[in-house]
Amino acid sequence: MTKPIIALDARRAVRRMSGIGNYVLQLARYLPKLAPEFRFDLLLDRPLRPDTVPDGCRQQVMGRFVGDGTPLAKFYSPFWLNLYVPKYLERNEVALFHGTNFVKPLWAKCKTVVTIHDLSFLRLPKAYGPIYRRYMKLQVQLALRTAKAIITGSNSAKRDLIEILRVHPEKITVIYNGVGDDFLKRHPESYLQQVRLKLNLPSRFILYVGVIEVKKNLIPLIEAGVNVIKKGLADALILAGRDGRGANKIKGFVRKLGLEKDVRFLGFVPQELLPGLYSLARVVVFPSLYEGFGLPVLEGMASGVPVILSGSSSLPEVAGDAGFILKEATSNEIEHALRMVLGNESLWQQLRERGLKRAQGFSWRESAAKHLEVYRKILLETKRGDNV
């Protein structure tokens, strides 16, 4: 008997790795192991390297890749989604399609699920351009209207969906992200030294990991970090991540004040170096104004590093009592937190131990299992409907 097919939008997995790309690949890694009765297809606009295709998954490449983040790419994305994908779903009699990145086809003969990671484009309108805001709001509203179920990564994001877009609570399932095994294990000194040399890292550094963009609230972090460095509590502030909206302004701020010696932008850091980068840091700071989950908080805790984080949106939900939560993510508050953590070895150790314990509760295997519960519920409802 032919296995029922579950198809996932896996395009983010072939871009430079981000939180959403990681989410897709981790699901693809565990879903076939937990549900061998299904076939899992990864729908792509360019192929994954053969050695990165998770066991038990088939990659299905359609259309073509036209770049990432460009105006043409934004125009082409809905074209790809609404022309190629519905044809594939119908031709292969796919049982269920999962839109893993906010969007899904307007029309599909199979049942559909969509993951809405956050509503930052509505919560923080000044962090995005007006065209992008309108585009995202329209795409999300269309997806919400026709999806059989909605998945989101935190109770905070669920509240936003209910309050802002009036989504019925029973349609939303909260499923936490997990943390990769590479962050949980302790790494040999040889690997850590290799990462330090490759990235040219100083002995004691403050670390931020994420997109370099407006909503991450990085200028207050830079101001606070420089003051702490001047007091001798750290050697540098390291910011790792690709450029996003407002990156030129943030980097220009550093250049204008001549802070290049104290503040370094690493750009995109390959996945194989990230666990070492976290582990070598003295403290991780994540002052973002809004997040649907905030994976760097979890990765920092799993790596055995104290984490200072904003008290906004989902972040306290992820950190629990294991992080140093800022009352306000201002430069003064961030500086105070850095001085407290870096200047007090006892507090540093307490946060480290709490973080390690907290991170153990977030598993990609468990996350995938809960996604399967959603899939099976929808497919079971479909069978019941067919029998009526």
Side-chain angles (χ1 to χ4, degrees):
M1 181 180 290
T2 304
K3 293 181 179 181
I5 301 171
I6 296 177
L8 286 74
D9 181 351
R11 289 174 292 167
R12 294 307 305 177
V14 290
R15 273 62 174 172
R16 283 190 164 185
M17 191 54 62
S18 64
I20 296 175
N22 188 37
Y23 164 75
V24 175
L25 279 180
Q26 293 287 0
L27 287 184
R29 177 185 174 192
Y30 285 104
L31 288 171
K33 298 175 183 177
L34 296 170
E37 71 272 23
F38 294 114
R39 187 181 108 188
F40 292 93
D41 286 2
L42 306 180
L43 307 190
L44 300 152
D45 53 9
R46 66 171 173 171
L48 287 161
R49 294 197 323 268
D51 61 317
T52 63
V53 179
D55 292 341
C57 292
R58 297 187 186 185
Q59 59 172 329
Q60 309 290 349
V61 181
M62 58 195 76
R64 66 190 187 92
F65 178 70
V66 297
D68 188 21
T70 65
L72 179 60
K74 288 182 172 62
F75 173 80
Y76 180 72
S77 178
F79 177 81
W80 181 89
L81 190 70
N82 289 289
L83 178 66
Y84 294 106
V85 172
K87 288 182 179 179
Y88 181 84
L89 299 178
E90 183 175 9
R91 184 170 65 249
N92 292 275
E93 298 182 344
V94 170
L96 183 144
F97 172 81
H98 181 182
T100 58
N101 186 24
F102 294 94
V103 295
K104 58 174 288 298
L106 297 175
W107 169 84
K109 283 199 169 181
C110 66
K111 301 300 179 184
T112 58
V113 176
V114 65
T115 298
I116 307 297
H117 297 277
D118 62 63
L119 293 181
S120 57
F121 55 94
L122 296 176
R123 280 293 191 197
L124 295 175
K126 292 182 179 179
Y128 300 91
I131 295 175
Y132 179 81
R133 290 200 309 271
R134 287 195 290 269
Y135 167 79
M136 282 301 298
K137 184 176 181 181
L138 176 62
Q139 290 293 315
V140 167
Q141 287 177 321
L142 290 171
L144 293 174
R145 188 176 302 169
T146 55
K148 289 295 181 181
I150 299 153
I151 294 170
T152 196
S154 64
N155 288 298
S156 170
K158 178 179 179 177
R159 285 193 297 271
D160 284 349
L161 284 165
I162 295 168
E163 294 171 7
I164 300 174
L165 295 180
R166 306 300 180 194
V167 181
H168 196 287
E170 292 185 3
K171 196 174 182 179
I172 307 168
T173 300
V174 174
I175 304 177
Y176 287 146
N177 291 333
V179 62
D181 295 340
D182 285 345
F183 297 97
L184 289 166
K185 66 183 181 184
R186 305 281 70 84
H187 299 282
E189 190 62 29
S190 58
Y191 164 73
L192 295 178
Q193 288 307 313
Q194 180 186 3
V195 173
R196 190 183 294 279
L197 288 171
K198 192 154 191 173
L199 299 178
N200 191 26
L201 300 171
S203 297
R204 305 171 304 160
F205 63 91
I206 302 160
L207 177 64
Y208 161 83
V209 176
V211 180
I212 309 301
E213 62 181 342
V214 173
K215 78 166 189 170
K216 304 299 186 181
N217 195 35
L218 296 180
I219 287 180
L221 170 59
I222 292 167
E223 292 172 332
V226 169
N227 286 340
V228 167
I229 291 165
K230 288 178 180 177
K231 290 178 171 65
L233 293 173
D235 300 319
L237 168 63
I238 303 293
L239 299 101
R242 64 177 176 84
D243 287 356
R245 183 177 175 84
N248 288 338
K249 179 181 178 182
I250 295 164
K251 292 181 177 180
F253 176 79
V254 172
R255 287 193 300 270
K256 182 180 178 181
L257 297 181
L259 301 175
E260 293 93 336
K261 183 180 176 182
D262 295 328
V263 181
R264 287 185 50 210
F265 295 91
L266 293 185
F268 174 78
V269 175
Q271 191 71 19
E272 62 269 20
L273 299 181
L274 267 182
L277 176 62
Y278 276 110
S279 296
L280 290 166
R282 185 64 180 162
V283 63
V284 171
V285 186
F286 198 67
S288 179
L289 298 174
Y290 180 94
E291 295 291 326
F293 185 81
L295 202 54
V297 170
L298 185 54
E299 291 172 344
M301 293 191 301
S303 300
V305 182
V307 179
I308 296 169
L309 60 141
S310 166
S312 69
S313 58
S314 65
L315 298 179
E317 188 178 337
V318 174
D321 67 349
F324 192 114
I325 299 174
L326 301 164
K327 293 179 181 177
E328 293 183 75
T330 62
S331 58
N332 286 340
E333 287 289 328
I334 297 171
E335 181 181 347
H336 172 73
L338 284 168
R339 291 172 65 181
M340 288 281 291
V341 175
L342 295 175
N344 186 328
E345 186 64 23
S346 175
L347 176 59
W348 191 94
Q349 287 290 348
Q350 285 178 32
L351 291 172
R352 177 183 184 278
E353 290 167 10
R354 288 181 196 167
L356 286 168
K357 183 178 179 180
R358 177 75 176 173
Q360 295 292 329
F362 293 83
S363 157
W364 277 119
R365 185 182 184 89
E366 182 179 347
S367 181
K370 290 183 177 179
H371 280 75
L372 274 170
E373 289 177 12
V374 175
Y375 300 163
R376 286 176 170 140
K377 180 181 178 182
I378 292 171
L379 293 173
L380 181 61
E381 289 172 354
T382 302
K383 287 183 179 180
R384 286 173 176 168
D386 290 342
N387 293 330
V388 173

PDB file of all heavy atoms in Angstrom, residues 172-198:
ATOM      1  N   ILE A 172      -5.510  27.051  17.283  1.00  0.00           N
ATOM      2  CA  ILE A 172      -4.072  27.278  17.456  1.00  0.00           C
ATOM      3  C   ILE A 172      -3.468  26.234  18.396  1.00  0.00           C
ATOM      4  O   ILE A 172      -3.993  25.993  19.486  1.00  0.00           O
ATOM      5  CB  ILE A 172      -3.802  28.682  18.029  1.00  0.00           C
ATOM      6  CG1 ILE A 172      -4.488  29.760  17.187  1.00  0.00           C
ATOM      7  CG2 ILE A 172      -2.297  28.950  18.123  1.00  0.00           C
ATOM      8  CD1 ILE A 172      -4.506  31.130  17.847  1.00  0.00           C
ATOM      9  N   THR A 173      -2.359  25.659  17.985  1.00  0.00           N
ATOM     10  CA  THR A 173      -1.596  24.749  18.845  1.00  0.00           C
ATOM     11  C   THR A 173      -0.215  25.348  19.094  1.00  0.00           C
ATOM     12  O   THR A 173       0.491  25.690  18.145  1.00  0.00           O
ATOM     13  CB  THR A 173      -1.430  23.362  18.186  1.00  0.00           C
ATOM     14  OG1 THR A 173      -2.717  22.803  17.943  1.00  0.00           O
ATOM     15  CG2 THR A 173      -0.636  22.431  19.101  1.00  0.00           C
ATOM     16  N   VAL A 174       0.152  25.493  20.355  1.00  0.00           N
ATOM     17  CA  VAL A 174       1.482  25.992  20.724  1.00  0.00           C
ATOM     18  C   VAL A 174       2.437  24.807  20.820  1.00  0.00           C
ATOM     19  O   VAL A 174       2.184  23.856  21.576  1.00  0.00           O
ATOM     20  CB  VAL A 174       1.446  26.758  22.058  1.00  0.00           C
ATOM     21  CG1 VAL A 174       2.866  27.138  22.497  1.00  0.00           C
ATOM     22  CG2 VAL A 174       0.579  27.995  21.933  1.00  0.00           C
ATOM     23  N   ILE A 175       3.515  24.856  20.036  1.00  0.00           N
ATOM     24  CA  ILE A 175       4.549  23.814  20.082  1.00  0.00           C
ATOM     25  C   ILE A 175       5.901  24.508  20.176  1.00  0.00           C
ATOM     26  O   ILE A 175       6.311  25.225  19.255  1.00  0.00           O
ATOM     27  CB  ILE A 175       4.511  22.908  18.834  1.00  0.00           C
ATOM     28  CG1 ILE A 175       3.122  22.275  18.652  1.00  0.00           C
ATOM     29  CG2 ILE A 175       5.583  21.831  18.947  1.00  0.00           C
ATOM     30  CD1 ILE A 175       2.983  21.430  17.396  1.00  0.00           C
ATOM     31  N   TYR A 176       6.587  24.301  21.280  1.00  0.00           N
ATOM     32  CA  TYR A 176       7.896  24.924  21.459  1.00  0.00           C
ATOM     33  C   TYR A 176       8.926  24.342  20.485  1.00  0.00           C
ATOM     34  O   TYR A 176       8.859  23.161  20.121  1.00  0.00           O
ATOM     35  CB  TYR A 176       8.402  24.719  22.888  1.00  0.00           C
ATOM     36  CG  TYR A 176       7.696  25.541  23.936  1.00  0.00           C
ATOM     37  CD1 TYR A 176       7.495  25.039  25.215  1.00  0.00           C
ATOM     38  CD2 TYR A 176       7.238  26.824  23.651  1.00  0.00           C
ATOM     39  CE1 TYR A 176       6.850  25.786  26.197  1.00  0.00           C
ATOM     40  CE2 TYR A 176       6.594  27.588  24.619  1.00  0.00           C
ATOM     41  CZ  TYR A 176       6.403  27.063  25.882  1.00  0.00           C
ATOM     42  OH  TYR A 176       5.774  27.811  26.841  1.00  0.00           O
ATOM     43  N   ASN A 177       9.859  25.170  20.088  1.00  0.00           N
ATOM     44  CA  ASN A 177      11.024  24.678  19.354  1.00  0.00           C
ATOM     45  C   ASN A 177      11.899  23.858  20.284  1.00  0.00           C
ATOM     46  O   ASN A 177      11.767  23.917  21.512  1.00  0.00           O
ATOM     47  CB  ASN A 177      11.833  25.851  18.792  1.00  0.00           C
ATOM     48  CG  ASN A 177      11.095  26.584  17.688  1.00  0.00           C
ATOM     49  OD1 ASN A 177      10.265  26.005  16.995  1.00  0.00           O
ATOM     50  ND2 ASN A 177      11.397  27.857  17.510  1.00  0.00           N
ATOM     51  N   GLY A 178      12.812  23.125  19.702  1.00  0.00           N
ATOM     52  CA  GLY A 178      13.784  22.379  20.496  1.00  0.00           C
ATOM     53  C   GLY A 178      15.147  23.041  20.417  1.00  0.00           C
ATOM     54  O   GLY A 178      15.306  24.131  19.871  1.00  0.00           O
ATOM     55  N   VAL A 179      16.122  22.365  20.963  1.00  0.00           N
ATOM     56  CA  VAL A 179      17.500  22.839  20.877  1.00  0.00           C
ATOM     57  C   VAL A 179      18.338  21.710  20.283  1.00  0.00           C
ATOM     58  O   VAL A 179      18.155  20.541  20.638  1.00  0.00           O
ATOM     59  CB  VAL A 179      18.052  23.290  22.248  1.00  0.00           C
ATOM     60  CG1 VAL A 179      18.075  22.145  23.245  1.00  0.00           C
ATOM     61  CG2 VAL A 179      19.414  23.928  22.104  1.00  0.00           C
ATOM     62  N   GLY A 180      19.199  22.041  19.343  1.00  0.00           N
ATOM     63  CA  GLY A 180      19.989  21.026  18.660  1.00  0.00           C
ATOM     64  C   GLY A 180      20.957  20.301  19.573  1.00  0.00           C
ATOM     65  O   GLY A 180      21.483  20.868  20.541  1.00  0.00           O
ATOM     66  N   ASP A 181      21.219  19.040  19.254  1.00  0.00           N
ATOM     67  CA  ASP A 181      22.132  18.219  20.064  1.00  0.00           C
ATOM     68  C   ASP A 181      23.529  18.832  20.150  1.00  0.00           C
ATOM     69  O   ASP A 181      24.221  18.674  21.152  1.00  0.00           O
ATOM     70  CB  ASP A 181      22.234  16.809  19.467  1.00  0.00           C
ATOM     71  CG  ASP A 181      20.917  16.054  19.541  1.00  0.00           C
ATOM     72  OD1 ASP A 181      20.066  16.439  20.368  1.00  0.00           O
ATOM     73  OD2 ASP A 181      20.748  15.085  18.782  1.00  0.00           O
ATOM     74  N   ASP A 182      23.944  19.529  19.087  1.00  0.00           N
ATOM     75  CA  ASP A 182      25.291  20.113  19.064  1.00  0.00           C
ATOM     76  C   ASP A 182      25.470  21.204  20.120  1.00  0.00           C
ATOM     77  O   ASP A 182      26.599  21.527  20.489  1.00  0.00           O
ATOM     78  CB  ASP A 182      25.592  20.693  17.685  1.00  0.00           C
ATOM     79  CG  ASP A 182      25.878  19.612  16.662  1.00  0.00           C
ATOM     80  OD1 ASP A 182      26.124  18.467  17.074  1.00  0.00           O
ATOM     81  OD2 ASP A 182      25.854  19.898  15.457  1.00  0.00           O
ATOM     82  N   PHE A 183      24.373  21.786  20.586  1.00  0.00           N
ATOM     83  CA  PHE A 183      24.476  22.817  21.625  1.00  0.00           C
ATOM     84  C   PHE A 183      24.471  22.203  23.018  1.00  0.00           C
ATOM     85  O   PHE A 183      25.010  22.791  23.959  1.00  0.00           O
ATOM     86  CB  PHE A 183      23.332  23.827  21.485  1.00  0.00           C
ATOM     87  CG  PHE A 183      23.349  24.590  20.205  1.00  0.00           C
ATOM     88  CD1 PHE A 183      22.575  24.200  19.131  1.00  0.00           C
ATOM     89  CD2 PHE A 183      24.175  25.698  20.054  1.00  0.00           C
ATOM     90  CE1 PHE A 183      22.597  24.892  17.928  1.00  0.00           C
ATOM     91  CE2 PHE A 183      24.214  26.399  18.859  1.00  0.00           C
ATOM     92  CZ  PHE A 183      23.426  25.998  17.789  1.00  0.00           C
ATOM     93  N   LEU A 184      23.860  21.040  23.147  1.00  0.00           N
ATOM     94  CA  LEU A 184      23.728  20.413  24.463  1.00  0.00           C
ATOM     95  C   LEU A 184      24.982  19.674  24.902  1.00  0.00           C
ATOM     96  O   LEU A 184      25.228  19.527  26.091  1.00  0.00           O
ATOM     97  CB  LEU A 184      22.542  19.436  24.445  1.00  0.00           C
ATOM     98  CG  LEU A 184      21.148  20.075  24.389  1.00  0.00           C
ATOM     99  CD1 LEU A 184      20.102  19.024  24.042  1.00  0.00           C
ATOM    100  CD2 LEU A 184      20.804  20.742  25.715  1.00  0.00           C
ATOM    101  N   LYS A 185      25.770  19.203  23.941  1.00  0.00           N
ATOM    102  CA  LYS A 185      26.938  18.410  24.336  1.00  0.00           C
ATOM    103  C   LYS A 185      28.124  19.311  24.662  1.00  0.00           C
ATOM    104  O   LYS A 185      28.222  20.439  24.179  1.00  0.00           O
ATOM    105  CB  LYS A 185      27.303  17.427  23.226  1.00  0.00           C
ATOM    106  CG  LYS A 185      27.784  18.063  21.935  1.00  0.00           C
ATOM    107  CD  LYS A 185      28.036  16.990  20.875  1.00  0.00           C
ATOM    108  CE  LYS A 185      28.539  17.590  19.575  1.00  0.00           C
ATOM    109  NZ  LYS A 185      28.707  16.579  18.516  1.00  0.00           N
ATOM    110  N   ARG A 186      29.003  18.815  25.471  1.00  0.00           N
ATOM    111  CA  ARG A 186      30.221  19.534  25.814  1.00  0.00           C
ATOM    112  C   ARG A 186      31.279  19.241  24.755  1.00  0.00           C
ATOM    113  O   ARG A 186      31.492  18.092  24.378  1.00  0.00           O
ATOM    114  CB  ARG A 186      30.729  19.121  27.198  1.00  0.00           C
ATOM    115  CG  ARG A 186      29.698  19.290  28.299  1.00  0.00           C
ATOM    116  CD  ARG A 186      29.553  20.734  28.787  1.00  0.00           C
ATOM    117  NE  ARG A 186      28.941  21.651  27.855  1.00  0.00           N
ATOM    118  CZ  ARG A 186      27.635  21.816  27.697  1.00  0.00           C
ATOM    119  NH1 ARG A 186      26.797  21.092  28.385  1.00  0.00           N
ATOM    120  NH2 ARG A 186      27.176  22.715  26.851  1.00  0.00           N
ATOM    121  N   HIS A 187      31.948  20.269  24.300  1.00  0.00           N
ATOM    122  CA  HIS A 187      32.846  20.147  23.159  1.00  0.00           C
ATOM    123  C   HIS A 187      34.308  20.030  23.601  1.00  0.00           C
ATOM    124  O   HIS A 187      34.726  20.642  24.590  1.00  0.00           O
ATOM    125  CB  HIS A 187      32.684  21.364  22.247  1.00  0.00           C
ATOM    126  CG  HIS A 187      31.302  21.497  21.687  1.00  0.00           C
ATOM    127  ND1 HIS A 187      30.845  20.731  20.643  1.00  0.00           N
ATOM    128  CD2 HIS A 187      30.261  22.301  22.051  1.00  0.00           C
ATOM    129  CE1 HIS A 187      29.599  21.057  20.374  1.00  0.00           C
ATOM    130  NE2 HIS A 187      29.217  21.997  21.213  1.00  0.00           N
ATOM    131  N   PRO A 188      35.101  19.251  22.844  1.00  0.00           N
ATOM    132  CA  PRO A 188      36.527  19.127  23.186  1.00  0.00           C
ATOM    133  C   PRO A 188      37.249  20.457  22.992  1.00  0.00           C
ATOM    134  O   PRO A 188      36.867  21.281  22.163  1.00  0.00           O
ATOM    135  CB  PRO A 188      37.033  18.068  22.206  1.00  0.00           C
ATOM    136  CG  PRO A 188      36.071  18.080  21.071  1.00  0.00           C
ATOM    137  CD  PRO A 188      34.742  18.434  21.679  1.00  0.00           C
ATOM    138  N   GLU A 189      38.316  20.632  23.744  1.00  0.00           N
ATOM    139  CA  GLU A 189      39.080  21.871  23.686  1.00  0.00           C
ATOM    140  C   GLU A 189      39.650  22.114  22.289  1.00  0.00           C
ATOM    141  O   GLU A 189      39.763  23.266  21.851  1.00  0.00           O
ATOM    142  CB  GLU A 189      40.221  21.813  24.709  1.00  0.00           C
ATOM    143  CG  GLU A 189      40.943  23.132  24.919  1.00  0.00           C
ATOM    144  CD  GLU A 189      40.042  24.231  25.459  1.00  0.00           C
ATOM    145  OE1 GLU A 189      39.067  23.902  26.174  1.00  0.00           O
ATOM    146  OE2 GLU A 189      40.303  25.418  25.152  1.00  0.00           O
ATOM    147  N   SER A 190      39.966  21.057  21.570  1.00  0.00           N
ATOM    148  CA  SER A 190      40.524  21.214  20.218  1.00  0.00           C
ATOM    149  C   SER A 190      39.528  21.890  19.275  1.00  0.00           C
ATOM    150  O   SER A 190      39.902  22.748  18.466  1.00  0.00           O
ATOM    151  CB  SER A 190      40.933  19.850  19.659  1.00  0.00           C
ATOM    152  OG  SER A 190      39.816  18.968  19.634  1.00  0.00           O
ATOM    153  N   TYR A 191      38.252  21.505  19.394  1.00  0.00           N
ATOM    154  CA  TYR A 191      37.210  22.128  18.566  1.00  0.00           C
ATOM    155  C   TYR A 191      37.025  23.595  18.944  1.00  0.00           C
ATOM    156  O   TYR A 191      36.939  24.475  18.077  1.00  0.00           O
ATOM    157  CB  TYR A 191      35.890  21.373  18.731  1.00  0.00           C
ATOM    158  CG  TYR A 191      34.667  22.125  18.234  1.00  0.00           C
ATOM    159  CD1 TYR A 191      34.420  22.296  16.871  1.00  0.00           C
ATOM    160  CD2 TYR A 191      33.760  22.689  19.139  1.00  0.00           C
ATOM    161  CE1 TYR A 191      33.303  22.988  16.422  1.00  0.00           C
ATOM    162  CE2 TYR A 191      32.642  23.374  18.708  1.00  0.00           C
ATOM    163  CZ  TYR A 191      32.418  23.530  17.345  1.00  0.00           C
ATOM    164  OH  TYR A 191      31.302  24.231  16.914  1.00  0.00           O
ATOM    165  N   LEU A 192      36.993  23.876  20.245  1.00  0.00           N
ATOM    166  CA  LEU A 192      36.800  25.252  20.696  1.00  0.00           C
ATOM    167  C   LEU A 192      37.956  26.147  20.235  1.00  0.00           C
ATOM    168  O   LEU A 192      37.731  27.299  19.803  1.00  0.00           O
ATOM    169  CB  LEU A 192      36.671  25.293  22.221  1.00  0.00           C
ATOM    170  CG  LEU A 192      35.447  24.583  22.807  1.00  0.00           C
ATOM    171  CD1 LEU A 192      35.471  24.648  24.329  1.00  0.00           C
ATOM    172  CD2 LEU A 192      34.148  25.184  22.276  1.00  0.00           C
ATOM    173  N   GLN A 193      39.151  25.648  20.303  1.00  0.00           N
ATOM    174  CA  GLN A 193      40.298  26.438  19.856  1.00  0.00           C
ATOM    175  C   GLN A 193      40.265  26.659  18.352  1.00  0.00           C
ATOM    176  O   GLN A 193      40.650  27.728  17.857  1.00  0.00           O
ATOM    177  CB  GLN A 193      41.599  25.748  20.263  1.00  0.00           C
ATOM    178  CG  GLN A 193      41.894  25.822  21.754  1.00  0.00           C
ATOM    179  CD  GLN A 193      41.842  27.257  22.288  1.00  0.00           C
ATOM    180  OE1 GLN A 193      42.404  28.182  21.710  1.00  0.00           O
ATOM    181  NE2 GLN A 193      41.126  27.440  23.405  1.00  0.00           N
ATOM    182  N   GLN A 194      39.772  25.672  17.628  1.00  0.00           N
ATOM    183  CA  GLN A 194      39.630  25.819  16.182  1.00  0.00           C
ATOM    184  C   GLN A 194      38.640  26.931  15.846  1.00  0.00           C
ATOM    185  O   GLN A 194      38.889  27.758  14.960  1.00  0.00           O
ATOM    186  CB  GLN A 194      39.148  24.498  15.578  1.00  0.00           C
ATOM    187  CG  GLN A 194      38.964  24.540  14.065  1.00  0.00           C
ATOM    188  CD  GLN A 194      38.344  23.266  13.524  1.00  0.00           C
ATOM    189  OE1 GLN A 194      37.988  22.365  14.280  1.00  0.00           O
ATOM    190  NE2 GLN A 194      38.200  23.194  12.216  1.00  0.00           N
ATOM    191  N   VAL A 195      37.517  26.954  16.568  1.00  0.00           N
ATOM    192  CA  VAL A 195      36.511  28.009  16.354  1.00  0.00           C
ATOM    193  C   VAL A 195      37.078  29.368  16.732  1.00  0.00           C
ATOM    194  O   VAL A 195      36.895  30.360  16.016  1.00  0.00           O
ATOM    195  CB  VAL A 195      35.228  27.705  17.163  1.00  0.00           C
ATOM    196  CG1 VAL A 195      34.243  28.874  17.078  1.00  0.00           C
ATOM    197  CG2 VAL A 195      34.579  26.423  16.664  1.00  0.00           C
ATOM    198  N   ARG A 196      37.803  29.424  17.853  1.00  0.00           N
ATOM    199  CA  ARG A 196      38.380  30.701  18.290  1.00  0.00           C
ATOM    200  C   ARG A 196      39.348  31.257  17.236  1.00  0.00           C
ATOM    201  O   ARG A 196      39.307  32.453  16.914  1.00  0.00           O
ATOM    202  CB  ARG A 196      39.108  30.525  19.628  1.00  0.00           C
ATOM    203  CG  ARG A 196      39.528  31.863  20.253  1.00  0.00           C
ATOM    204  CD  ARG A 196      40.315  31.674  21.531  1.00  0.00           C
ATOM    205  NE  ARG A 196      39.566  31.103  22.611  1.00  0.00           N
ATOM    206  CZ  ARG A 196      38.739  31.800  23.391  1.00  0.00           C
ATOM    207  NH1 ARG A 196      38.526  33.084  23.170  1.00  0.00           N
ATOM    208  NH2 ARG A 196      38.118  31.184  24.387  1.00  0.00           N
ATOM    209  N   LEU A 197      40.179  30.394  16.678  1.00  0.00           N
ATOM    210  CA  LEU A 197      41.139  30.829  15.670  1.00  0.00           C
ATOM    211  C   LEU A 197      40.449  31.225  14.364  1.00  0.00           C
ATOM    212  O   LEU A 197      40.789  32.235  13.744  1.00  0.00           O
ATOM    213  CB  LEU A 197      42.160  29.725  15.412  1.00  0.00           C
ATOM    214  CG  LEU A 197      43.181  29.469  16.528  1.00  0.00           C
ATOM    215  CD1 LEU A 197      43.989  28.214  16.254  1.00  0.00           C
ATOM    216  CD2 LEU A 197      44.109  30.680  16.684  1.00  0.00           C
ATOM    217  N   LYS A 198      39.480  30.422  13.952  1.00  0.00           N
ATOM    218  CA  LYS A 198      38.806  30.676  12.678  1.00  0.00           C
ATOM    219  C   LYS A 198      38.044  31.988  12.706  1.00  0.00           C
ATOM    220  O   LYS A 198      38.008  32.726  11.715  1.00  0.00           O
ATOM    221  CB  LYS A 198      37.858  29.525  12.359  1.00  0.00           C
ATOM    222  CG  LYS A 198      37.342  29.546  10.931  1.00  0.00           C
ATOM    223  CD  LYS A 198      36.963  28.154  10.469  1.00  0.00           C
ATOM    224  CE  LYS A 198      36.718  28.166   8.969  1.00  0.00           C
ATOM    225  NZ  LYS A 198      36.499  26.817   8.431  1.00  0.00           N
TER     226      LYS A 198
END
